Amino acid sequence: MQLFDKETQGPQPHIELVIDANSSMSIIPSQTHSISIMIKGLTLPILTRFHAGYFRISLSLCSQALLWKTLGEPSDDAHAFRRILRMLPSTAFVLLWSLALFTLVSLSLLYILRCLLHFDMVKNEFFHHVGVNYLFAPWISWLLLLQSAPFFTPKTMYYLVLWWLFVAPIIVLDVKIYGQWFIKGKRFLSTVANPTSQLSVIGNLVGAWAAARMGWRESAICLFSLGMAHYLVLFVTLYQRLSENEGLPAMLRPVFFLFFAAPSMASLAWDSITGSFDNSSKMLFFLSLFLFLSLSPMVQLKLAVVFNKKSLDSDHLDYKYSSWTCAFGLVQVTSMVFRPALFKKSMRKFNVVWWAYSFPLTVLALASTEYAQEVKSGVAHGLMLVLSTLSVVVSLFLMVFTALNTNCLLPSDDPMLSPGGSSPVP
């Protein structure tokens, strides 16, 4: 019996061990494979339709947080408008800054996943004449968020380290893209220039603005000169091409607002470098105002009607009367911002490109606050109030529309994802 028991018990452990080993070898790879398929299935629709153009949202929110911080800071200006704006609750600014931080971190993580899982799409985006310029947008957003941070001042070591971390990619992109403008025939500036090309200039100017706040004047001047030199060339090139530019789809026409974002940012950067809003900053600010007013031909017509009607009623206009006329003209202008003739096609259906309206308006409002603080006149403060209010209203409008149209955030017909987008502008 003992011998029989040994014979029957001997093979059983051996058989069980073999079965366990084989089952573990076969089950584990199938589980990991199914999990990887599940992850790719969940992220594929998002990552394949996501691109750097979505950082328009972070640009708007981060610049808006900086505007609220600027309006809430104490100043020597005792004008009534400044005292009213200083009454804004600090909690609202902290909430807005936190929302901007959360949005920027979320977008950055999504784009990192896109780089890891779909690097070929990122590579195609780099060769897209519009998409390549939005590679500057994440770093511009981080620099704006850094300047609006309520936790540390520009003189701290954290600020310095983060400034280098965010400026270094901008310099790398400058070397690559500006080099292509010079030496690559298919990527010459005259063939790929479009309004979004100004984001490369804005990146340098934001870096100069942040460096000047740290006290790094030489670094600020270096970045400022690099940005302004290419801005002058780009500005002339775009002026020569706008009437015949067919490479920019109608859906992307809100990016035309970047025309007045670049000189507005330049005025802020030069203000930080020199320590005062001097004549150079004022000239850049007035240029941005002119570009803002000249975006729509209908604006010029309405202003002409307003001024001609007032001049027929009275032969001599005093200062007070002319100021009210200017204010009424500004109201007419702001009513045209939302749907001028140039932007009708892009406004028919909600798209994330609508966020391109907010960032330039906020930068213009920031420049107007510095101008009002320097000039200290009622007209300057009225202009600051109008532009700041317009910027906040547009941002709130976009937040509400984005929340109500989440199903339109990832359209399949996005022009920045079109197969022909990687070719240069004809």
Side-chain angles (χ1 to χ4, degrees):
M1 291 295 293
Q2 292 179 355
L3 181 60
F4 180 76
D5 292 337
K6 288 181 180 180
E7 291 179 355
T8 56
Q9 294 176 1
Q12 290 179 356
H14 177 72
I15 294 174
E16 291 178 357
L17 289 174
V18 171
I19 292 173
D20 291 339
N22 291 336
S23 61
S24 62
M25 292 284 290
S26 60
I27 292 174
I28 293 176
S30 62
Q31 288 179 345
T32 56
H33 182 65
S34 61
I35 291 174
S36 62
I37 292 176
M38 186 183 300
I39 293 174
K40 289 183 178 181
L42 292 174
T43 59
L44 186 63
I46 298 176
L47 297 181
T48 54
R49 297 182 184 181
F50 182 79
H51 51 78
Y54 284 82
F55 283 95
R56 299 183 189 103
I57 302 175
S58 61
L59 280 174
S60 302
L61 294 178
C62 294
S63 59
Q64 193 67 214
L66 185 56
L67 175 63
W68 280 57
K69 181 182 179 182
T70 303
L71 294 175
E73 288 178 344
S75 63
D76 299 332
D77 192 358
H79 198 275
F81 287 159
R82 294 290 292 194
R83 291 197 298 268
I84 293 174
L85 294 173
R86 232 177 279 137
M87 295 172 60
L88 293 172
S90 59
T91 307
F93 161 68
V94 175
L95 290 175
L96 179 60
W97 190 88
S98 302
L99 175 62
L101 176 62
F102 174 77
T103 303
L104 183 53
V105 170
S106 301
L107 293 175
S108 300
L109 291 176
L110 279 175
Y111 203 79
I112 290 173
L113 287 176
R114 179 179 168 87
C115 293
L116 295 176
L117 301 178
H118 303 285
F119 186 73
D120 54 335
M121 294 183 179
V122 178
K123 191 175 180 179
N124 292 334
E125 192 174 348
F126 181 80
F127 291 105
H128 194 285
H129 64 283
V130 175
V132 64
N133 300 303
Y134 276 100
L135 297 178
F136 288 90
W139 313 110
I140 297 173
S141 301
W142 281 113
L143 285 170
L144 293 172
L145 194 69
L146 177 64
Q147 294 184 73
S148 62
F151 309 112
F152 46 83
T153 61
K155 302 295 183 180
T156 60
M157 181 60 65
Y158 298 105
Y159 191 100
L160 172 62
V161 172
L162 291 174
W163 181 85
W164 272 113
L165 182 64
F166 302 146
V167 167
I170 293 178
I171 298 175
V172 173
L173 288 171
D174 282 344
V175 174
K176 182 64 177 178
I177 294 176
Y178 292 161
Q180 289 180 347
W181 289 358
F182 278 118
I183 62 177
K184 286 200 174 183
K186 293 184 179 180
R187 307 294 296 175
F188 276 153
L189 179 61
S190 58
T191 60
V192 298
N194 62 84
T196 62
S197 302
Q198 297 173 99
L199 284 171
S200 62
V201 173
I202 295 173
N204 290 284
L205 297 175
V206 174
W209 186 17
R213 288 192 166 190
M214 287 192 304
W216 284 29
R217 194 169 184 271
E218 298 302 318
S219 300
I221 293 176
C222 176
L223 290 172
F224 182 85
S225 61
L226 180 63
M228 289 305 296
H230 288 90
Y231 173 69
L232 293 175
V233 177
L234 182 60
F235 186 76
V236 174
T237 304
L238 290 174
Y239 249 60
Q240 292 174 343
R241 285 185 49 81
L242 282 181
S243 60
E244 58 186 23
N245 190 353
E246 298 178 356
L248 193 67
M251 183 62 69
L252 296 179
R253 285 182 180 175
V255 301
F256 275 70
F257 268 44
L258 291 172
F259 268 105
F260 59 85
S264 299
M265 188 61 70
S267 67
L268 292 168
W270 189 250
D271 172 40
S272 296
I273 292 173
T274 59
S276 63
F277 207 83
D278 58 8
N279 291 334
S280 299
S281 297
K282 291 177 183 177
M283 287 190 291
L284 291 167
F285 173 63
F286 292 146
L287 173 62
S288 61
L289 272 180
F290 168 77
L291 294 173
F292 169 63
L293 299 179
S294 63
L295 270 174
S296 173
M298 293 298 294
V299 172
Q300 302 165 3
L301 177 62
K302 286 203 175 241
L303 285 177
V305 170
V306 170
F307 283 101
N308 289 336
K309 183 177 179 181
K310 296 297 182 181
S311 60
L312 291 174
D313 295 340
S314 177
D315 295 334
H316 303 285
L317 293 175
D318 58 2
Y319 176 76
K320 182 178 180 180
Y321 190 74
S322 61
S323 299
W324 278 107
T325 306
C326 292
F328 184 74
L330 282 174
V331 172
Q332 297 291 324
V333 170
T334 55
S335 66
M336 296 296 298
V337 169
F338 294 97
R339 194 167 176 138
L342 181 64
F343 308 109
K344 281 185 178 180
K345 291 184 179 179
S346 62
M347 296 293 290
R348 290 174 181 172
K349 182 181 179 182
F350 175 78
N351 192 283
V352 72
V353 76
W354 284 17
W355 282 92
Y357 290 120
S358 178
F359 170 67
L361 286 172
T362 306
V363 177
L364 183 61
L366 280 166
S368 69
T369 59
E370 300 297 332
Y371 174 72
Q373 188 171 355
E374 178 70 22
V375 176
K376 294 181 175 64
S377 67
V379 175
H381 282 85
L383 180 63
M384 176 195 69
L385 183 62
V386 169
L387 292 175
S388 300
T389 303
L390 180 62
S391 171
V392 173
V393 169
V394 170
S395 298
L396 290 175
F397 171 84
L398 290 172
M399 290 181 193
V400 172
F401 259 70
T402 303
L404 295 177
N405 296 273
T406 54
N407 57 328
C408 301
L409 286 178
L410 297 169
S412 58
D413 58 345
D414 196 316
M416 289 182 63
L417 298 176
S418 59
S422 59
S423 60
V425 181

